[in-house]
Amino acid sequence: MITGRDERALAEAVARLNKNGNIAVARYCDVCNSESVAGLFLALKKQFKRLDILLNNAGIAGPASPIEKLSLDEWREIIDTNLTGLFLVTKAALPLLKRGATIVNNLSISAKTAFPGMAAYNASKHGALGFTDTLREELKPKGIRVVSLMPGATDTEIWEQFWPDAPRERMISRESIAEAVAMAVCLPENTSVTEIVIAPTAGAL
Ligand SMILES: NC(=O)c1ccc[n+]([C@@H]2O[C@H](COP(=O)([O-])OP(=O)(O)OC[C@H]3O[C@@H](n4cnc5c(N)ncnc54)[C@H](OP(=O)(O)O)[C@@H]3O)[C@@H](O)[C@H]2O)c1
């Protein structure tokens, strides 16, 4: 089940996925809205009964702005999406996750590094790392694996929000990120990885 707010993009993604014989379904969900999140997991439970893998991926960067120019609305939107959204989705998912399940939270190298002009994004990702570390400790006795994914610059649309001319051809591919997620999920049940940092090779961005 894939989610997002852009219903057209969701329909296109499902059509692409299902060409290969998958049974992907799409569902609208705004991670900032607790009712929308509750609706997602109600539908998921009805259709699939349980959840094996939760990938928390939704995120925004917002425009680059020094703190003195950062508006409260911009700050709130980024924290609401990247941090509160992560909390809302994870909390709603927990009753459906059983022993052997995996949660992968797509953070960023911004979870441990500060980039000037990106205070709200950096703060949201640092907070998301604290949340993820706590979640891992709480879920250890239940046998649920919790992985922090920390990619560096990756070639996706997010760059349009704060650096439209960024040299995306030098960035990590989105396929590489997907492969790292698959690796974390496919580890044997008695094995885990806590953090995956993905950096471009020397010379790249
Ligand atoms: N690209 C990078 O360099 C990079 C590096 C490290 C980490 N990351 C992280 O990777 C994750 C994915 O970002 P991306 O780079 O793939 O950017 P992207 O192409 O802009 O994708 C962001 C995704 O988040 C969804 N989203 C945003 N707000 C949402 C909301 N309120 N509710 C539900 N879905 C929402 C978007 O779907 P809709 O617009 O349809 O809602 C979209 O699918 C983010 O958490 C980002 O911080 C990115």
Side-chain angles (χ1 to χ4, degrees):
M1 183 172 267
I2 60 171
T3 71
R5 298 161 301 170
D6 181 342
E7 309 234 30
R8 204 166 137 191
L10 285 172
E12 283 170 11
V14 162
R16 257 200 333 271
L17 284 166
N18 289 352
K19 259 191 197 155
N20 299 331
N22 296 308
I23 46 155
V25 290
R27 165 120 194 156
Y28 174 95
C29 178
D30 178 354
V31 299
C32 303
N33 181 320
S34 58
E35 285 171 15
S36 182
V37 171
L40 166 69
F41 285 97
L42 207 65
L44 196 146
K45 189 177 178 186
K46 206 169 160 197
Q47 188 160 1
F48 297 106
K49 309 280 184 288
R50 66 167 215 268
L51 181 61
D52 299 311
I53 302 158
L54 171 65
L55 172 58
N56 280 307
N57 184 62
I60 56 170
S65 170
I67 293 167
E68 69 264 24
K69 294 200 174 136
L70 181 64
S71 75
L72 180 58
D73 283 348
E74 285 166 344
W75 169 269
R76 283 199 171 127
E77 193 185 354
I78 295 166
I79 299 292
D80 277 359
T81 308
N82 299 358
L83 187 54
T84 311
L86 176 63
F87 161 68
L88 289 175
V89 171
T90 305
K91 185 174 178 191
L94 284 176
L96 294 177
L97 293 160
K98 301 280 176 279
R99 185 167 290 275
T102 302
I103 301 175
V104 179
N105 290 346
N106 195 358
L107 309 176
S108 162
I109 52 169
S110 297
K112 290 190 176 179
T113 313
F115 294 98
M118 303 299 290
Y121 186 76
N122 294 333
S124 71
K125 295 296 185 176
H126 275 63
L129 177 60
F131 174 82
T132 305
D133 287 343
T134 311
L135 183 70
R136 183 178 308 111
E137 293 309 312
E138 292 186 6
L139 296 186
K140 237 180 227 167
K142 296 186 173 167
I144 297 172
R145 193 190 274 154
V146 178
V147 184
S148 292
L149 184 66
M150 295 190 231
T154 307
D155 175 16
T156 73
E157 302 307 314
I158 205 169
W159 290 89
E160 297 297 325
Q161 297 171 31
F162 64 103
W163 186 5
D165 300 328
R168 282 172 50 182
E169 69 285 353
R170 286 164 46 199
M171 296 181 184
I172 304 163
S173 74
R174 54 192 87 183
E175 288 78 8
S176 300
I177 307 300
E179 279 176 29
V181 173
M183 184 274 287
V185 165
C186 292
L187 286 171
E189 204 176 302
N190 62 352
T191 315
S192 194
V193 55
T194 51
E195 292 186 354
I196 303 176
V197 179
I198 311 173
T201 46
L205 191 76

